[in-house]
Amino acid sequence: MMQQANLPTHIGIIMDGNGRWAKKRGLPRKMGHRAGASTFKEIARYANKIGLKYLTTYVFSTENWKRPKDEVDSIIELLRSYLNEMDGYAKENIRVRFIGDRSVFDDDIRAKMQRAEEKSRNATGLTLILAINYGGRAEIVHAARMLADDVQAGKIFPHQVNESLFSSYLYTDGIPDVDLIIRPSGEYRLSNFLIWQCAYAEYVFMSGVLWPDFKPATLDAAIAEYNSRSRRFGGLANE
Ligand code: IPE
Ligand code: IPE
Ligand code: MG
C-alpha cells in the first residue's frame, strides 16, 4: 500500500472495458461484466482501507439501455445479486449510496437499494456511491424540475438560486465535488458522468488497462498521477 500523502477527497471511476476484456478471451460480454463486478468489490474495499472518503463508480448509464436486451438483463441480474451481498458494508464501516433514476427498476431492486442505504447510514468510513441508470444531463434536468416546483410552490424565490442551492437538488446533495476522475480502457471522454460535479476535477485516463484488470496498485498509480498535478481552480499556483 502506497503512502497516501495527498489523498483526493472524492474519486470517480468510469468502470470501462468489460466487453473488450471478455472479447479478448473469446468469452461472452456478460462474463466481462461479471469479472468487472468482482474488480469493483475489491477496489471499493481497498479505497476504504486507504482512507478515501468518497468513491463514485459508474455502473450503468442512462445511455446503456441502447445495448442488446440480453446484455442489459445480465447487468441487472448482476446488480440484483450484488445487492444481496451489501449487508456486510455496514460492518466494514462503508456507507452506501445510489445516484440515478431508480424509479425504472423492479420493486425488489429498489427495496434492496433502500435497505443498503439505511443499514449503512451511520458508517463513517468510505462513502461508496453507485451511479445506476445515471446520466449527468438527466440529473441536471431532474434538479431543475424540482427547483421549478419549489419556486412555483413559493418555497424559493428565483433570486435565491445560486450554485450551492442548485447543487442541493442534485442526486449528489451533500457530497463534495469530484477531485479525480479515472477512466481505464483507452476512451478519453466522460460519457455523461458527473458533468456538474467534475467542473474542476483532474482526469487520469489509463489506456493500458481494462476495468476487470484494474488492481489496487492501479488506483495507487492514478492517485500518484493526481498528486503530480497542480490544481489552480482559476487562481495561481502556490510554488
Ligand atoms: C463498462 O464496460 C460496463 C458498462 C458500460 C455497463 P463496457 O461494457 O462498456 O465494455 P467495452 O467498452 O464494451 O469494452
Ligand atoms: C460509460 O461507459 C458507462 C459506464 C461505464 C457505466 P460506456 O462504455 O457506456 O461509454 P461510451 O459508450 O464508450 O461512451
Ligand atoms: Mg464501454
Side-chain angles (χ1 to χ4, degrees), residues 15-20 29 64 67 183 185 187 189:
M15 304 187 291
D16 199 15
N18 294 349
R20 278 163 282 174
R29 291 180 60 87
N64 287 145
R67 296 189 181 196
R183 183 168 191 159
S185 95
E187 309 300 345
R189 56 178 170 260

Side-chain angles (χ1 to χ4, degrees), residues 26 30 58 101 108 140 152 160-161 164 194 197:
K30 73 170 183 198
Y58 209 0
D101 177 10
D108 71 302
I140 292 168
Q152 193 175 45
Q160 293 176 301
V161 179
S164 120
L194 300 174
Q197 297 85 347

Side-chain angles (χ1 to χ4, degrees), residues 8-45:
T9 302
H10 186 175
I11 296 179
I13 303 184
I14 301 170
M15 304 187 291
D16 199 15
N18 294 349
R20 278 163 282 174
W21 183 92
K23 192 172 178 204
K24 257 178 37 185
R25 287 164 179 72
L27 297 168
R29 291 180 60 87
K30 73 170 183 198
M31 298 305 286
H33 296 309
R34 185 178 296 182
S38 90
T39 298
F40 160 79
K41 292 177 213 171
E42 182 188 16
I43 294 301
R45 292 219 156 82

Side-chain angles (χ1 to χ4, degrees), residues 43-67:
I43 294 301
R45 292 219 156 82
Y46 181 67
N48 187 42
K49 191 166 114 187
I50 62 177
L52 185 70
K53 294 313 287 178
Y54 297 91
L55 175 66
T56 304
T57 54
Y58 209 0
V59 176
F60 192 85
S61 76
T62 48
E63 288 72 39
N64 287 145
W65 298 105
K66 292 178 194 162
R67 296 189 181 196

